[in-house]
Amino acid sequence: MDPSSNFLNYRSTMKAAVWRSEREKANKIERAIIPFFSLFLKDLHAINESHETKLADGTINFEKCRLFGTQLSNFFKWQRLDCPYEQVANVVAYLQKAEALSENLLMKASYECEPPDNAEEKDHYKTLKSTKKSNT
């Protein structure tokens, strides 16, 4: 998941995976595609921000609609593929019961992985550390 060049390696790998998944002779393992969801959302956001919804003459920008459609079509195509891997019961149970962390808890965990850089972040981290888990 090297982020350099706008995830060029990941995007190339996904393109090859899509090509393999569309082959009729591909086995189930070769057909598996697990997209990086946050990059999918980033791409949708980039399309939205970089293209006007309406053109200068007041008409709808169909190029923007086409780009959105392509992204969504790919995503729905990936969803329809059968997952070739068996579910592991204890992993499924854990994921279903796992606590969804609040934004504050996620920020605190982020600071613990990568210490704050500046005074504002350090103050924020101190505030988060002093706040009890139940209040976040």
Coordinates of all heavy atoms in Angstrom, one line a residue, residues 19-93:
W19 N -8.8 -7.4 -14.4 CA -8.7 -8.1 -15.7 C -8.7 -9.6 -15.4 O -9.5 -10.3 -16.2 CB -7.3 -7.7 -16.3 CG -7.1 -8.5 -17.6 CD1 -7.5 -8.2 -18.8 CD2 -6.3 -9.7 -17.7 NE1 -7.1 -9.1 -19.7 CE2 -6.3 -10.0 -19.1 CE3 -5.5 -10.5 -16.9 CZ2 -5.7 -11.1 -19.6 CZ3 -4.9 -11.6 -17.4 CH2 -5.0 -11.9 -18.7
R20 N -8.1 -10.1 -14.4 CA -8.1 -11.6 -14.1 C -9.5 -12.0 -13.7 O -10.0 -13.0 -14.1 CB -7.1 -11.9 -13.0 CG -5.7 -12.1 -13.4 CD -4.9 -12.7 -12.3 NE -5.1 -12.1 -11.0 CZ -4.4 -11.0 -10.5 NH1 -3.5 -10.5 -11.2 NH2 -4.7 -10.5 -9.3
S21 N -10.2 -11.1 -12.9 CA -11.5 -11.5 -12.4 C -12.6 -11.6 -13.6 O -13.5 -12.3 -13.5 CB -12.0 -10.5 -11.4 OG -12.4 -9.3 -12.0
E22 N -12.3 -10.9 -14.7 CA -13.3 -10.9 -15.8 C -13.0 -12.1 -16.7 O -13.9 -12.3 -17.6 CB -13.2 -9.6 -16.5 CG -13.7 -8.4 -15.7 CD -13.5 -7.1 -16.3 OE1 -12.6 -6.9 -17.2 OE2 -14.2 -6.1 -15.8
R23 N -11.9 -12.8 -16.6 CA -11.7 -14.0 -17.4 C -12.5 -15.1 -17.0 O -12.7 -15.3 -15.8 CB -10.2 -14.4 -17.3 CG -9.3 -13.4 -17.9 CD -7.8 -13.8 -17.9 NE -7.6 -15.2 -17.5 CZ -6.6 -15.6 -16.8 NH1 -5.7 -14.7 -16.3 NH2 -6.4 -16.8 -16.4
E24 N -13.1 -15.8 -17.9 CA -14.0 -16.9 -17.6 C -13.3 -18.1 -16.9 O -13.9 -18.8 -16.1 CB -14.8 -17.4 -18.8 CG -15.8 -16.4 -19.3 CD -16.5 -16.9 -20.5 OE1 -16.6 -18.1 -20.7 OE2 -17.0 -16.0 -21.3
K25 N -12.0 -18.3 -17.3 CA -11.3 -19.4 -16.8 C -10.6 -19.1 -15.4 O -10.0 -20.0 -14.9 CB -10.2 -19.8 -17.8 CG -10.8 -20.3 -19.1 CD -9.7 -20.7 -20.0 CE -10.3 -21.2 -21.3 NZ -9.3 -21.6 -22.3
A26 N -10.7 -17.9 -14.9 CA -10.1 -17.6 -13.6 C -10.7 -18.4 -12.5 O -11.9 -18.6 -12.5 CB -10.2 -16.1 -13.4
N27 N -9.9 -18.9 -11.6 CA -10.4 -19.6 -10.5 C -10.9 -18.6 -9.4 O -10.7 -17.4 -9.6 CB -9.4 -20.6 -9.9 CG -8.2 -20.0 -9.3 OD1 -8.3 -18.9 -8.6 ND2 -7.0 -20.5 -9.6
K28 N -11.6 -19.1 -8.4 CA -12.2 -18.2 -7.4 C -11.1 -17.3 -6.7 O -11.4 -16.2 -6.4 CB -13.0 -19.0 -6.4 CG -14.3 -19.4 -6.8 CD -15.1 -20.0 -5.7 CE -16.6 -20.1 -6.1 NZ -17.4 -20.4 -4.9
I29 N -10.0 -17.9 -6.4 CA -8.9 -17.1 -5.8 C -8.5 -16.0 -6.7 O -8.3 -14.8 -6.2 CB -7.7 -18.0 -5.4 CG1 -8.1 -19.1 -4.4 CG2 -6.6 -17.2 -4.8 CD1 -8.6 -18.6 -3.0
E30 N -8.3 -16.2 -8.0 CA -7.9 -15.2 -8.9 C -8.9 -14.1 -9.1 O -8.6 -13.0 -9.5 CB -7.5 -15.8 -10.3 CG -6.2 -16.6 -10.3 CD -6.0 -17.3 -11.6 OE1 -6.9 -17.6 -12.3 OE2 -4.8 -17.4 -12.0
R31 N -10.2 -14.5 -8.9 CA -11.3 -13.5 -9.1 C -11.5 -12.6 -7.8 O -12.2 -11.6 -7.9 CB -12.6 -14.3 -9.3 CG -12.5 -15.0 -10.7 CD -13.8 -15.8 -10.9 NE -15.0 -14.9 -10.9 CZ -15.5 -14.3 -11.9 NH1 -15.0 -14.4 -13.1 NH2 -16.6 -13.6 -11.8
A32 N -10.9 -12.9 -6.7 CA -11.1 -12.2 -5.5 C -10.5 -10.8 -5.6 O -9.4 -10.6 -6.1 CB -10.4 -12.9 -4.3
I33 N -11.3 -9.8 -5.3 CA -10.9 -8.4 -5.3 C -11.3 -7.7 -4.0 O -12.5 -7.8 -3.7 CB -11.5 -7.6 -6.5 CG1 -10.9 -8.2 -7.8 CG2 -11.1 -6.1 -6.4 CD1 -11.5 -7.6 -9.0
I34 N -10.4 -7.2 -3.3 CA -10.7 -6.6 -2.0 C -10.2 -5.1 -2.1 O -9.0 -4.9 -1.9 CB -10.1 -7.3 -0.8 CG1 -10.6 -8.7 -0.8 CG2 -10.5 -6.6 0.5 CD1 -9.9 -9.6 0.2
P35 N -11.1 -4.2 -2.5 CA -10.6 -2.8 -2.7 C -10.3 -2.1 -1.4 O -10.8 -2.4 -0.3 CB -11.8 -2.1 -3.4 CG -13.0 -3.0 -3.0 CD -12.5 -4.4 -2.8
F36 N -9.4 -1.1 -1.5 CA -9.0 -0.3 -0.4 C -10.1 0.8 -0.3 O -10.1 1.8 -1.1 CB -7.7 0.3 -0.7 CG -7.1 1.2 0.4 CD1 -7.4 1.0 1.7 CD2 -6.2 2.2 0.1 CE1 -6.8 1.8 2.7 CE2 -5.6 3.0 1.0 CZ -6.0 2.8 2.3
F37 N -11.1 0.7 0.6 CA -12.3 1.5 0.6 C -12.0 3.0 0.8 O -12.6 3.8 0.1 CB -13.2 1.0 1.7 CG -14.6 1.7 1.6 CD1 -15.4 1.4 0.5 CD2 -15.0 2.6 2.6 CE1 -16.7 2.0 0.4 CE2 -16.2 3.2 2.5 CZ -17.1 2.9 1.4
S38 N -11.0 3.3 1.6 CA -10.7 4.7 1.8 C -10.1 5.4 0.6 O -10.4 6.6 0.3 CB -9.8 5.0 3.0 OG -8.6 4.4 2.8
L39 N -9.4 4.6 -0.3 CA -8.9 5.2 -1.5 C -10.1 5.3 -2.5 O -10.1 6.3 -3.3 CB -7.9 4.3 -2.1 CG -7.2 4.8 -3.4 CD1 -6.5 6.2 -3.1 CD2 -6.1 3.8 -3.8
F40 N -11.0 4.4 -2.5 CA -12.3 4.6 -3.3 C -13.0 5.9 -2.9 O -13.4 6.6 -3.8 CB -13.2 3.3 -3.1 CG -14.5 3.5 -3.6 CD1 -14.8 3.4 -5.0 CD2 -15.6 3.6 -2.8 CE1 -16.1 3.5 -5.5 CE2 -16.9 3.8 -3.3 CZ -17.1 3.7 -4.6
L41 N -13.1 6.1 -1.6 CA -13.8 7.4 -1.2 C -13.0 8.6 -1.6 O -13.5 9.6 -2.0 CB -14.0 7.3 0.3 CG -15.0 6.3 0.8 CD1 -15.1 6.3 2.3 CD2 -16.4 6.5 0.2
K42 N -11.7 8.5 -1.5 CA -10.8 9.6 -1.9 C -11.0 9.9 -3.3 O -11.0 11.1 -3.7 CB -9.3 9.2 -1.6 CG -8.3 10.2 -2.0 CD -6.9 9.7 -1.7 CE -5.9 10.7 -2.3 NZ -5.1 10.2 -3.4
D43 N -11.1 8.9 -4.2 CA -11.3 9.1 -5.6 C -12.6 9.8 -5.9 O -12.7 10.7 -6.7 CB -11.2 7.8 -6.4 CG -9.7 7.2 -6.4 OD1 -8.8 8.0 -6.1 OD2 -9.6 6.0 -6.7
L44 N -13.7 9.3 -5.2 CA -15.0 10.0 -5.4 C -14.9 11.4 -5.0 O -15.4 12.3 -5.7 CB -16.0 9.2 -4.6 CG -16.5 7.9 -5.1 CD1 -17.5 7.3 -4.1 CD2 -17.0 7.9 -6.5
H45 N -14.2 11.7 -3.9 CA -14.1 13.1 -3.4 C -13.3 13.9 -4.4 O -13.7 15.0 -4.7 CB -13.4 13.1 -2.0 CG -13.2 14.5 -1.5 ND1 -14.2 15.2 -1.0 CD2 -12.0 15.2 -1.4 CE1 -13.7 16.4 -0.6 NE2 -12.4 16.4 -0.9
A46 N -12.2 13.3 -5.0 CA -11.4 14.0 -5.9 C -12.2 14.4 -7.2 O -12.1 15.5 -7.7 CB -10.2 13.2 -6.3
I47 N -13.0 13.4 -7.6 CA -13.9 13.7 -8.8 C -14.8 14.8 -8.5 O -15.0 15.7 -9.3 CB -14.7 12.4 -9.2 CG1 -13.7 11.4 -9.8 CG2 -15.8 12.7 -10.2 CD1 -14.4 10.0 -9.9
N48 N -15.5 14.8 -7.3 CA -16.4 15.8 -7.0 C -15.8 17.2 -6.9 O -16.3 18.2 -7.3 CB -17.1 15.4 -5.6 CG -18.3 16.3 -5.3 OD1 -19.1 16.5 -6.2 ND2 -18.3 16.9 -4.1
E49 N -14.6 17.2 -6.3 CA -13.9 18.5 -6.1 C -13.3 19.1 -7.4 O -13.2 20.3 -7.5 CB -12.9 18.4 -5.0 CG -13.4 18.2 -3.6 CD -14.3 19.3 -3.1 OE1 -13.9 20.5 -3.2 OE2 -15.4 19.0 -2.7
S50 N -12.9 18.2 -8.3 CA -12.2 18.7 -9.4 C -13.0 18.9 -10.7 O -12.5 19.4 -11.7 CB -11.0 17.7 -9.8 OG -11.6 16.5 -10.2
H51 N -14.3 18.6 -10.6 CA -15.2 18.8 -11.7 C -16.4 19.6 -11.2 O -17.1 19.2 -10.2 CB -15.6 17.4 -12.3 CG -14.5 16.7 -12.9 ND1 -13.6 15.9 -12.1 CD2 -14.2 16.5 -14.2 CE1 -12.8 15.4 -12.9 NE2 -13.1 15.7 -14.2
E52 N -16.8 20.6 -12.0 CA -18.0 21.3 -11.7 C -19.2 20.5 -12.0 O -19.2 19.7 -12.9 CB -18.1 22.6 -12.5 CG -17.0 23.6 -12.2 CD -17.1 24.2 -10.8 OE1 -18.3 24.4 -10.3 OE2 -16.1 24.5 -10.2
T53 N -20.3 20.6 -11.2 CA -21.5 19.9 -11.4 C -22.2 20.4 -12.7 O -22.8 19.7 -13.4 CB -22.4 19.9 -10.2 OG1 -21.7 19.4 -9.1 CG2 -23.7 19.2 -10.4
K54 N -22.2 21.7 -12.8 CA -22.8 22.4 -14.0 C -21.7 23.1 -14.8 O -20.8 23.7 -14.2 CB -23.9 23.3 -13.6 CG -25.1 22.6 -13.0 CD -26.2 23.6 -12.9 CE -27.5 22.8 -12.5 NZ -28.7 23.6 -12.5
L55 N -21.8 23.1 -16.1 CA -20.9 23.7 -16.9 C -21.2 25.2 -17.0 O -22.2 25.7 -16.5 CB -20.9 23.1 -18.3 CG -20.5 21.6 -18.4 CD1 -20.8 21.1 -19.8 CD2 -19.1 21.4 -17.9
A56 N -20.3 26.0 -17.6 CA -20.5 27.4 -17.7 C -21.8 27.8 -18.3 O -22.4 28.9 -18.0 CB -19.3 28.1 -18.5
D57 N -22.3 27.0 -19.3 CA -23.6 27.3 -19.9 C -24.8 26.9 -19.1 O -25.9 27.0 -19.6 CB -23.6 26.8 -21.4 CG -23.5 25.2 -21.4 OD1 -23.5 24.6 -20.3 OD2 -23.5 24.7 -22.5
G58 N -24.6 26.3 -17.9 CA -25.7 25.9 -17.1 C -26.1 24.5 -17.2 O -27.0 24.0 -16.5
T59 N -25.5 23.8 -18.2 CA -25.9 22.4 -18.4 C -25.1 21.5 -17.4 O -24.1 21.8 -16.9 CB -25.6 21.9 -19.8 OG1 -24.2 22.1 -20.1 CG2 -26.4 22.7 -20.8
I60 N -25.7 20.3 -17.2 CA -25.1 19.3 -16.3 C -23.8 18.8 -16.9 O -23.7 18.5 -18.1 CB -26.0 18.1 -16.1 CG1 -27.3 18.6 -15.3 CG2 -25.4 17.0 -15.3 CD1 -28.4 17.6 -15.1
N61 N -22.8 18.7 -16.1 CA -21.5 18.2 -16.5 C -21.5 16.6 -16.5 O -21.3 16.0 -15.5 CB -20.4 18.6 -15.6 CG -19.0 18.2 -16.0 OD1 -18.8 17.5 -16.9 ND2 -18.0 18.7 -15.3
F62 N -21.8 16.1 -17.7 CA -21.9 14.6 -17.8 C -20.6 13.9 -17.7 O -20.6 12.7 -17.4 CB -22.7 14.3 -19.1 CG -24.1 14.5 -19.1 CD1 -24.7 15.6 -19.7 CD2 -25.0 13.7 -18.4 CE1 -26.1 15.9 -19.6 CE2 -26.3 13.9 -18.2 CZ -26.9 15.0 -18.9
E63 N -19.5 14.6 -17.9 CA -18.2 14.0 -17.7 C -18.0 13.6 -16.2 O -17.6 12.5 -15.9 CB -17.1 14.9 -18.2 CG -15.7 14.4 -17.9 CD -15.3 13.1 -18.7 OE1 -16.1 12.6 -19.6 OE2 -14.3 12.5 -18.3
K64 N -18.5 14.5 -15.4 CA -18.4 14.2 -13.9 C -19.3 13.0 -13.6 O -18.9 12.1 -12.9 CB -18.8 15.5 -13.1 CG -18.8 15.3 -11.6 CD -19.2 16.6 -10.9 CE -19.1 16.5 -9.4 NZ -19.4 17.7 -8.8
C65 N -20.5 13.0 -14.2 CA -21.4 11.9 -14.0 C -20.8 10.6 -14.5 O -20.9 9.5 -13.8 CB -22.7 12.1 -14.6 SG -23.7 13.6 -14.0
R66 N -20.1 10.6 -15.6 CA -19.5 9.4 -16.2 C -18.4 8.9 -15.3 O -18.3 7.7 -15.0 CB -19.0 9.7 -17.6 CG -18.4 8.5 -18.3 CD -17.6 8.8 -19.5 NE -16.4 9.6 -19.2 CZ -15.3 9.0 -18.7 NH1 -15.3 7.7 -18.4 NH2 -14.2 9.8 -18.5
L67 N -17.6 9.8 -14.7 CA -16.5 9.4 -13.8 C -17.1 8.8 -12.6 O -16.6 7.8 -12.1 CB -15.6 10.6 -13.5 CG -14.8 11.2 -14.7 CD1 -14.2 12.5 -14.3 CD2 -13.7 10.1 -15.1
F68 N -18.1 9.4 -12.0 CA -18.8 8.8 -10.8 C -19.3 7.4 -11.2 O -19.1 6.5 -10.4 CB -19.9 9.7 -10.3 CG -19.5 10.8 -9.3 CD1 -20.1 12.0 -9.5 CD2 -18.6 10.5 -8.3 CE1 -19.7 13.0 -8.6 CE2 -18.3 11.5 -7.4 CZ -18.9 12.8 -7.5
G69 N -20.0 7.3 -12.3 CA -20.6 6.1 -12.7 C -19.5 5.0 -12.9 O -19.8 3.8 -12.5
T70 N -18.4 5.3 -13.5 CA -17.3 4.3 -13.6 C -16.8 3.8 -12.3 O -16.7 2.6 -12.1 CB -16.1 4.9 -14.4 OG1 -16.6 5.3 -15.7 CG2 -15.0 3.9 -14.6
Q71 N -16.6 4.7 -11.4 CA -16.1 4.3 -10.0 C -17.2 3.4 -9.3 O -16.8 2.4 -8.8 CB -15.9 5.6 -9.1 CG -14.7 6.4 -9.6 CD -13.4 5.7 -9.3 OE1 -13.2 5.0 -8.3 NE2 -12.4 5.8 -10.2
L72 N -18.4 3.9 -9.3 CA -19.5 3.1 -8.7 C -19.7 1.8 -9.4 O -19.9 0.7 -8.7 CB -20.8 3.9 -8.6 CG -20.7 5.2 -7.7 CD1 -21.9 6.0 -7.9 CD2 -20.5 4.8 -6.3
S73 N -19.7 1.7 -10.7 CA -19.8 0.5 -11.4 C -18.8 -0.5 -11.0 O -19.1 -1.7 -10.8 CB -19.8 0.8 -12.9 OG -19.9 -0.4 -13.6
N74 N -17.5 -0.1 -11.0 CA -16.4 -1.0 -10.6 C -16.7 -1.5 -9.2 O -16.5 -2.7 -8.9 CB -15.1 -0.3 -10.7 CG -14.6 -0.1 -12.1 OD1 -15.0 -0.8 -13.0 ND2 -13.8 0.9 -12.3
F75 N -17.0 -0.6 -8.3 CA -17.2 -1.0 -6.9 C -18.4 -2.1 -6.8 O -18.2 -3.1 -6.1 CB -17.6 0.2 -6.0 CG -17.6 -0.1 -4.5 CD1 -16.4 -0.3 -3.8 CD2 -18.8 -0.3 -3.9 CE1 -16.4 -0.7 -2.5 CE2 -18.8 -0.6 -2.5 CZ -17.6 -0.8 -1.8
F76 N -19.5 -1.8 -7.5 CA -20.6 -2.8 -7.4 C -20.2 -4.1 -8.1 O -20.6 -5.2 -7.6 CB -21.8 -2.2 -8.1 CG -22.4 -1.1 -7.3 CD1 -22.8 0.1 -7.9 CD2 -22.6 -1.2 -5.9 CE1 -23.4 1.1 -7.2 CE2 -23.1 -0.1 -5.2 CZ -23.5 1.0 -5.8
K77 N -19.3 -4.1 -9.1 CA -18.9 -5.3 -9.8 C -18.0 -6.1 -8.8 O -18.2 -7.3 -8.7 CB -18.0 -4.9 -11.0 CG -17.6 -6.1 -11.8 CD -16.6 -5.7 -12.9 CE -16.9 -4.4 -13.6 NZ -15.9 -4.1 -14.7
W78 N -17.2 -5.4 -8.0 CA -16.3 -6.1 -7.0 C -17.2 -6.7 -5.9 O -16.9 -7.8 -5.4 CB -15.3 -5.1 -6.4 CG -14.4 -4.5 -7.4 CD1 -14.0 -5.1 -8.6 CD2 -13.8 -3.2 -7.3 NE1 -13.1 -4.2 -9.2 CE2 -13.0 -3.1 -8.4 CE3 -13.8 -2.2 -6.3 CZ2 -12.2 -1.9 -8.7 CZ3 -13.0 -1.1 -6.6 CH2 -12.3 -0.9 -7.7
Q79 N -18.3 -6.0 -5.6 CA -19.2 -6.6 -4.5 C -19.8 -7.9 -4.9 O -20.1 -8.7 -4.1 CB -20.3 -5.6 -4.2 CG -19.9 -4.5 -3.2 CD -21.1 -3.7 -2.8 OE1 -21.9 -3.3 -3.6 NE2 -21.1 -3.3 -1.5
R80 N -20.1 -8.0 -6.2 CA -20.9 -9.2 -6.7 C -20.0 -10.4 -6.8 O -20.6 -11.5 -6.9 CB -21.5 -8.9 -8.0 CG -22.7 -7.9 -7.9 CD -23.5 -7.9 -9.3 NE -22.7 -7.4 -10.4 CZ -22.5 -6.1 -10.7 NH1 -23.1 -5.2 -10.0 NH2 -21.8 -5.7 -11.7
L81 N -18.7 -10.3 -6.8 CA -17.9 -11.5 -6.9 C -18.0 -12.3 -5.6 O -18.0 -11.8 -4.5 CB -16.4 -11.1 -7.1 CG -16.1 -10.4 -8.4 CD1 -14.7 -9.9 -8.5 CD2 -16.4 -11.3 -9.6
D82 N -18.0 -13.6 -5.7 CA -18.0 -14.5 -4.6 C -16.7 -14.5 -3.9 O -15.6 -14.5 -4.5 CB -18.3 -15.9 -5.0 CG -19.7 -16.1 -5.5 OD1 -20.6 -15.4 -5.0 OD2 -20.0 -17.0 -6.4
C83 N -16.7 -14.4 -2.6 CA -15.5 -14.5 -1.8 C -15.0 -15.9 -1.7 O -15.8 -16.8 -1.3 CB -15.7 -14.0 -0.4 SG -14.2 -14.0 0.6
P84 N -13.8 -16.2 -2.2 CA -13.3 -17.6 -2.2 C -12.8 -18.1 -0.9 O -12.4 -19.3 -0.8 CB -12.2 -17.5 -3.2 CG -11.7 -16.1 -3.1 CD -12.9 -15.3 -2.8
Y85 N -12.8 -17.3 0.1 CA -12.2 -17.7 1.4 C -13.3 -18.0 2.4 O -14.4 -17.4 2.4 CB -11.4 -16.5 2.0 CG -10.3 -16.1 1.0 CD1 -10.4 -14.9 0.3 CD2 -9.2 -16.8 0.8 CE1 -9.5 -14.5 -0.6 CE2 -8.2 -16.4 -0.1 CZ -8.3 -15.3 -0.8 OH -7.4 -14.9 -1.7
E86 N -13.1 -19.0 3.2 CA -14.0 -19.4 4.2 C -14.0 -18.4 5.4 O -13.0 -17.9 5.7 CB -13.7 -20.8 4.7 CG -14.0 -21.9 3.7 CD -13.7 -23.3 4.2 OE1 -14.0 -23.5 5.4 OE2 -13.3 -24.2 3.5
Q87 N -15.2 -18.2 6.0 CA -15.2 -17.4 7.2 C -14.7 -18.2 8.3 O -14.9 -19.4 8.5 CB -16.6 -17.0 7.5 CG -17.2 -16.0 6.4 CD -18.6 -15.5 6.8 OE1 -19.1 -15.9 7.9 NE2 -19.2 -14.7 6.0
V88 N -13.9 -17.5 9.2 CA -13.4 -18.1 10.4 C -14.3 -17.6 11.5 O -14.4 -16.4 11.8 CB -11.9 -17.6 10.6 CG1 -11.4 -18.2 11.9 CG2 -11.1 -18.1 9.4
A89 N -15.0 -18.5 12.1 CA -16.1 -18.1 13.1 C -15.6 -17.2 14.2 O -16.3 -16.2 14.5 CB -16.7 -19.4 13.7
N90 N -14.5 -17.4 14.8 CA -14.0 -16.6 15.9 C -13.7 -15.2 15.4 O -13.8 -14.2 16.1 CB -12.9 -17.2 16.7 CG -11.7 -17.5 15.9 OD1 -11.7 -17.6 14.7 ND2 -10.6 -17.8 16.6
V91 N -13.2 -15.0 14.2 CA -12.9 -13.7 13.6 C -14.2 -13.0 13.3 O -14.3 -11.8 13.7 CB -12.0 -13.8 12.3 CG1 -11.8 -12.5 11.6 CG2 -10.7 -14.5 12.6
V92 N -15.1 -13.6 12.7 CA -16.4 -13.0 12.5 C -17.1 -12.6 13.8 O -17.6 -11.4 13.9 CB -17.4 -14.0 11.7 CG1 -18.8 -13.4 11.6 CG2 -16.8 -14.3 10.3
A93 N -17.0 -13.4 14.8 CA -17.6 -13.1 16.1 C -16.9 -11.8 16.7 O -17.6 -10.9 17.2 CB -17.5 -14.3 17.1

